[in-house]
Amino acid sequence: MAITLNFPSTRTAGSVAIEPVPDRRALALLLLSVCLITVPHAWHIPLPLFGFFGVLAAWRAVTLYRQYGLPNRTQLTLLTLLAIALLVSQQRSFFGRDAGTAVFVVALGLKLLETRSRRDAYLVVNLAFIVAASQFLYQQSLWMAGYVLTVSGLLVVTLLSLHSATLPIGRMLKTGFAIGLHALPLALLMFVFFPRVEAPRWMWLQDQHKAVSGLTDRLEPGSISELSLSDALVFRVRFDGPIPPPARRYWRGPVYVETDGNGWRAVKQADQRADPPEIVGDRYAYTLLLEPQAQNLVYGLEMAESFGPELRRNRYYQLQVKEKPLERAEYRIVSGAEYRILPLSDQERRQALQLPQPVSGRLRDFVAGMQQEAAGPQDLIDGLLRYFRTENFYYTLTPPLMPDQPVETFLFETRRGFCSHYATALVYLLRIAGVPARVVGGYQGGEINPVGNFLEVRQADAHAWAEAWLPDKGWVRVDPTAAVAPERIERGVNVDLQIASGEVSFTSVSIGSAGDWLKRSRQLWQSIDYNWQRWVVNYNSENQAQFFRDWDIDSTFKLAQWLFASLLLVGLPLTAWLLKTRVAADRSVECYRQFCRKMAKAGVEIGYSEGALAFAERAAAAKPELAEQIERITALYIRIRYQAQSDAADLRTLKNRVRGLRI
């Protein structure tokens, strides 16, 4: 007797076996997952290349419902040559982030058209996983990680569909989710303990457009007011202790010392000052997570006393890194709210007194009158601040244009300006009086995120203030904005309302219950994103080394011990659960054992190493009256146990047939 078993059909051509063609559902899932994983790259590669991929994907979609239409070898060759021509014309290279991504996307489209067998489909899935990973070369946000993880899960479901054409979609989703859960513990262990290999700063993998364009080394009228209408994030800060009040949140950036009468320029000095500032008040220790920047400045809280070796302090007490921070970076800094910087070199004095010639006679007369009423530099500063406070000056984001003699026009005519107008005018007047002064740019304030208990500083917090040198105090911060609009310093900026209205707005303004709810939701998300950036994206070799120090892992031997213990802790329970799940899931084995026990009662016992097929032939010969039932039970068992084309209904049928076998 011959037993007919329903193995997957395999066509042959001569002596060469041809792989079965994936069914329509598997191909549809494959096409859907490939398209989803490439959609975000529409913003990363040139439009002609992405359009070419779209045409190839659409071509493959049409052929899902037709028995013909796929290109032959000649057509594929021509398409490949066209793809190479497009790549050369659009990218000029096959190397680098953008060019490499384009190559993989185009190759994915070409391979879709070539997919005729299951092996081809597996290769497309592997290429799609590479394209999915390439998304993180452009963006490492939590949103993108969730998107890539979701589409990668769809690729796993596609693999399951290729393996088992009749498996229900719900069961495939459940199995794919279980596979991800099984891999998660090991992935976490490898992420934490595996040595972090820092990628070199390949400039062909880094694009300047990723950097935030904020404060620059040139301060023009209106430049800061333009930033005040941007909610772009600059940095986030978590303090070890209490967060300083708004009036102490001055984040030092460019120092502008040279002027041509219209704009101010920062002198680029990279020499490091040996003596730190003398801190005479409270100290604040904090961790600053800086967004990608177009400048090589780190905006430390005034005045930075100590910091990590990756930072340096130049002669203007700016914190700098050697190269522009084109990626997010984290820094540990300790700053003092009250300080003294007494030394003043001859070069600094000359720079801090520089003025364009000639100086307006009206300005000189004004300063001379103020000096007559002042007993010294400090009295002069107080008098100028009083002038700003009492002479109907207005703080506004939209001051009138002042193309000619901007300082004189601002002081005596318009009297409307933003922080940069007040700071530059004050420094200009102090220099006329012979008091060394300079303009300092940076950020002031910042919004507290109560969910994560950290501070968010945005471009709308951009600010400018003055710094004057007094013989008995050294460099002293003087902020004329505090005289004109003290709410700006004491309360901070209401970023949302300021951007929406285009007018100066402070945090004391309520935006209503609906707006409050939306704001709290955004704060929750920002807190999640902040921790994602700190502990996942920024988990580099330095953070890993700090983690090892915190856990007293100070040698390779200890690291191996920890890794081995962790693998045991995770691997043993997982292995036990998998084995238990496997035994519970493979009910077909238990059904077949019950069948063998019934046959043993009939006098036909299965041999120790006898296979199901051989036993079925022998049992059918011994019990011809049961031959049909033996054949059906055996064929169904082999189908469930060893073939992909089985489902839950087959298992129920096997149970019923074994139960109905009468000996």
Side-chain angles (χ1 to χ4, degrees):
M1 180 204 69
I3 296 179
T4 304
L5 300 178
N6 187 22
F7 285 103
S9 59
T10 302
R11 295 175 289 124
T12 60
S15 60
V16 180
I18 301 176
E19 290 239 357
V21 178
D23 73 321
R24 183 179 297 172
R25 186 185 70 169
L27 286 175
L29 280 173
L30 178 65
L31 184 60
L32 174 63
S33 57
V34 166
C35 290
L36 287 177
I37 208 60
T38 53
V39 162
H41 282 309
W43 290 267
H44 306 150
I45 62 178
L47 183 60
L49 288 173
F50 192 80
F52 181 71
F53 167 82
V55 170
L56 299 181
W59 189 345
R60 192 64 181 90
V62 170
T63 61
L64 289 178
Y65 303 96
R66 302 171 61 177
Q67 299 299 322
Y68 57 89
L70 288 175
N72 54 35
R73 286 185 177 274
T74 302
Q75 292 171 328
L76 277 174
T77 301
L78 293 176
L79 287 172
T80 302
L81 292 176
L82 176 59
I84 294 173
L86 282 173
L87 285 167
V88 172
S89 64
Q90 296 295 319
Q91 296 291 353
R92 306 291 182 183
S93 171
F94 293 103
F95 302 100
R97 181 188 64 178
D98 293 342
T101 301
V103 168
F104 275 108
V105 169
V106 171
L108 198 54
L110 290 171
K111 192 60 185 176
L112 277 174
L113 285 182
E114 197 184 20
T115 301
R116 289 178 169 84
S117 67
R118 190 180 300 170
R119 182 182 62 182
D120 294 332
Y122 288 151
L123 181 56
V124 170
V125 171
N126 290 331
L127 281 173
F129 275 120
I130 296 175
V131 174
S134 69
Q135 299 287 355
F136 295 113
L137 294 174
Y138 296 89
Q139 187 179 0
Q140 300 88 35
S141 68
L142 189 55
W143 283 114
M144 181 54 67
Y147 182 82
V148 171
L149 185 63
T150 301
V151 181
S152 297
L154 185 59
L155 287 173
V156 173
V157 173
T158 302
L159 286 174
L160 293 172
S161 181
L162 290 169
H163 178 70
S164 179
T166 60
L167 198 64
I169 189 68
R171 185 174 173 185
M172 286 194 297
L173 291 172
K174 181 179 178 181
T175 303
F177 181 73
I179 292 173
L181 286 182
H182 296 165
L184 184 61
L186 183 60
L188 289 176
L189 281 177
M190 299 302 291
F191 177 80
V192 172
F193 288 102
F194 196 81
R196 314 298 294 183
V197 180
E198 301 299 326
R201 296 185 63 85
W202 299 325
M203 295 313 295
W204 56 86
L205 289 182
Q206 308 294 342
D207 280 350
Q208 295 288 343
H209 70 268
K210 294 181 62 180
V212 174
S213 296
L215 295 170
T216 66
D217 58 1
R218 177 77 179 179
L219 182 64
E220 300 284 354
S223 59
I224 291 186
S225 59
E226 293 175 0
L227 292 178
S228 295
L229 296 178
S230 169
D231 66 345
L233 189 65
V234 185
F235 56 88
R236 288 171 280 195
V237 184
R238 186 185 296 277
F239 288 88
D240 293 353
I243 298 177
R248 287 188 169 184
R249 299 180 204 153
Y250 282 84
W251 309 92
R252 192 179 185 89
V255 178
Y256 304 100
V257 295
E258 295 182 355
T259 178
D260 57 7
N262 293 312
W264 292 73
R265 187 171 65 88
V267 176
K268 296 182 179 180
Q269 295 285 348
D271 56 318
Q272 189 169 353
R273 193 181 183 97
D275 298 329
E278 180 184 351
I279 305 299
V280 296
D282 296 334
R283 288 174 170 82
Y284 297 98
Y286 54 95
T287 301
L288 187 147
L289 181 62
L290 184 69
E291 294 296 304
Q293 298 293 312
Q295 302 293 319
N296 64 337
L297 296 178
V298 176
Y299 300 93
L301 188 69
E302 280 195 337
M303 181 64 71
E305 180 185 32
S306 61
F307 39 83
E310 68 277 8
L311 296 177
R312 62 188 179 188
R313 177 175 46 216
N314 67 15
R315 61 185 299 180
Y316 298 109
Y317 286 86
Q318 300 165 291
L319 295 182
Q320 295 179 316
V321 290
K322 293 181 179 180
E323 299 181 11
K324 296 176 183 178
L326 299 177
E327 296 291 340
R328 256 179 223 95
E330 193 173 71
Y331 307 100
R332 285 286 300 169
I333 306 173
V334 176
S335 297
E338 299 176 16
Y339 54 88
R340 290 202 309 169
I341 307 174
L342 287 175
L344 180 67
S345 67
D346 293 339
Q347 182 183 7
E348 286 178 310
R349 179 180 292 275
R350 287 193 302 271
Q351 290 176 338
L353 291 174
Q354 177 264 331
L355 284 171
Q357 298 296 331
V359 176
S360 165
R362 190 177 182 185
L363 287 176
R364 287 194 181 276
D365 293 341
F366 173 75
V367 172
M370 298 293 293
Q371 282 182 298
Q372 288 179 357
E373 300 177 3
Q378 184 63 64
D379 282 348
L380 176 62
I381 292 173
D382 293 340
L384 291 172
L385 294 178
R386 187 164 51 250
Y387 176 78
F388 285 134
R389 186 167 50 249
T390 60
E391 293 297 324
N392 296 323
F393 281 86
Y394 294 93
Y395 188 73
T396 176
L397 289 175
T398 56
L401 296 176
M402 295 170 277
D404 299 323
Q405 298 179 320
V407 175
E408 185 174 345
T409 304
F410 167 68
L411 288 172
F412 305 125
E413 297 178 19
T414 64
R415 297 188 177 184
R416 301 175 67 87
F418 199 52
C419 59
S420 57
H421 296 81
Y422 290 97
T424 54
L426 178 62
V427 170
Y428 201 95
L429 295 175
L430 289 176
R431 289 187 176 187
I432 293 175
V435 178
R438 57 198 183 191
V439 182
V440 181
Y443 298 88
Q444 199 284 323
E447 183 179 8
I448 297 175
N449 186 313
V451 179
N453 195 33
F454 59 88
L455 198 69
E456 297 175 323
V457 178
R458 301 182 178 276
Q459 293 293 355
D461 296 306
H463 193 56
W465 58 93
E467 217 170 38
W469 191 87
L470 304 179
D472 55 339
K473 296 180 180 180
W475 287 106
V476 176
R477 182 198 310 130
V478 183
D479 192 350
T481 299
V484 181
E487 300 91 347
R488 167 65 182 87
I489 308 303
E490 296 170 1
R491 300 178 192 172
V493 175
N494 188 320
V495 176
D496 297 326
L497 280 182
Q498 184 161 291
I499 294 173
S501 65
E503 297 293 338
V504 175
S505 183
F506 306 115
T507 56
S508 59
V509 181
S510 175
I511 58 177
S513 58
D516 290 339
W517 181 84
L518 290 174
K519 187 172 184 178
R520 283 193 291 269
S521 300
R522 188 180 69 177
Q523 288 172 340
L524 175 61
W525 168 252
Q526 289 168 345
S527 179
I528 296 172
D529 179 70
Y530 173 68
N531 287 284
W532 165 264
Q533 297 295 339
R534 284 200 67 195
W535 302 112
V536 179
V537 177
N538 270 40
Y539 186 71
N540 53 24
S541 57
E542 294 180 4
N543 293 334
Q544 186 184 56
Q546 182 61 47
F547 174 81
F548 289 164
R549 286 192 294 269
D550 293 341
W551 288 87
D552 196 29
I553 305 176
D554 55 3
S555 65
T556 305
F557 180 71
K558 281 190 176 182
L559 176 60
Q561 285 182 317
W562 270 86
L563 188 57
F564 181 72
S566 301
L567 287 174
L568 286 180
L569 184 65
V570 172
L572 289 180
L574 181 61
T575 301
W577 181 76
L578 286 174
L579 290 175
K580 180 180 178 181
T581 304
R582 178 62 179 169
V583 171
D586 199 358
R587 304 293 177 84
S588 63
V589 175
E590 182 58 36
C591 289
Y592 187 73
R593 288 174 179 171
Q594 184 180 355
F595 163 71
C596 291
R597 287 193 293 270
K598 284 189 174 184
M599 294 305 300
K601 291 180 181 179
V604 184
E605 294 187 12
I606 189 171
Y608 178 74
S609 59
E610 190 173 14
L613 184 59
F615 176 64
E617 292 179 350
R618 186 166 59 84
K623 297 290 183 180
E625 68 277 10
L626 302 176
E628 183 177 356
Q629 296 183 68
I630 294 172
E631 176 184 345
R632 290 177 177 177
I633 290 173
T634 303
L636 196 55
Y637 168 67
I638 293 177
R639 173 183 174 86
I640 297 172
R641 181 66 175 165
Y642 300 108
Q643 299 179 28
Q645 292 81 1
S646 64
D647 53 27
D650 290 334
L651 182 60
R652 290 193 297 269
T653 303
L654 177 63
K655 289 181 180 179
N656 293 334
R657 287 181 177 175
V658 172
R659 191 180 299 117
L661 181 65
R662 296 289 182 262
I663 302 301

